[in-house]
Structure formats: structure tokens, C-alpha cells
Amino acid sequence: AAISSFWTLPASSEDPMTSPLIVGNVGGVYSHLTSFAFLLAGVYADLLIVRIFLSLGYMGLIIQGFTGFPFWGQYLSEPHFIGVDTIVWSGLGLYVQLSSCVRLLLDKVHI
């Protein structure tokens, strides 16, 4: 009985600082792939490779925004919604990273 009350959501009248621990759901596949791309961006020292992995991470955030941040085992959130702010900010970050990637690639091309 103690375990079942441990995992329940607190009533609205309870103080959130004294309520039991609430464990969130596991993120979906897109979330894990996005996190892995950002992790790989920190592993390498070559600036071009870092920019490529950061671009992949921002693409993953855009996909998550369009799919509504689904949980593990889902490909779309239920009920479905779109994270407009995530899409806008990630699109801006993707533009910055991809434009830097293009500049780095053009600098490596020998004339």
C-alpha cells in the first residue's frame, strides 16, 4: 500500500514541496536520438563534425516539436499537439549551425 501511494499524483491542495516523488515517463525514440546527437557533438574536437552533430540534434528537436514530444513506444503524442516555440527556436539554431557548416565546407574546398 505504501508503494502505490508513493507513485500517485498529489492532490491539487497539497504542497508540491512536500508531495511524494513523481517519476516522469520515458521519452520517445526521437528524444533519445536527439540527446545522442548532442552527446556526440561534445565528444569530437573537429569543428565541422561538431556542427554536423549539433545540426542533427536541432533536426531532432524540430521532429519532436512536430510530433508533440511522444513518450516511449509512441510516434505521435496523444492527444496530438505541436510545440511551436520548440520548432521556431530549433529552426533558428539549425539555421545557425547549417550556415556555419556550409562556410566550413567551403573553406575546405581547394581552388
Side-chain angles (χ1 to χ4, degrees), residues 33-96:
L33 291 175
T34 300
S35 296
F36 188 64
F38 284 126
L39 175 76
L40 289 176
V43 170
Y44 294 98
D46 186 339
L47 192 56
L48 180 60
I49 294 174
V50 169
R51 297 278 186 183
I52 289 170
F53 282 123
L54 285 174
S55 298
L56 289 173
Y58 280 115
M59 285 183 212
L61 284 174
I62 291 171
I63 291 170
Q64 287 185 68
F66 275 115
T67 58
F69 302 96
F71 295 126
W72 187 258
Q74 298 176 330
Y75 294 100
L76 291 173
S77 64
E78 293 294 331
H80 185 64
F81 68 93
I82 294 177
V84 177
D85 59 336
T86 301
I87 295 168
V88 170
W89 283 110
S90 299
L92 182 63
L94 180 63
Y95 171 76
V96 169

Side-chain angles (χ1 to χ4, degrees), residues 2-14:
I3 294 176
S4 64
S5 65
F6 182 76
W7 298 106
T8 58
L9 292 173
S12 60
S13 63
E14 288 185 35

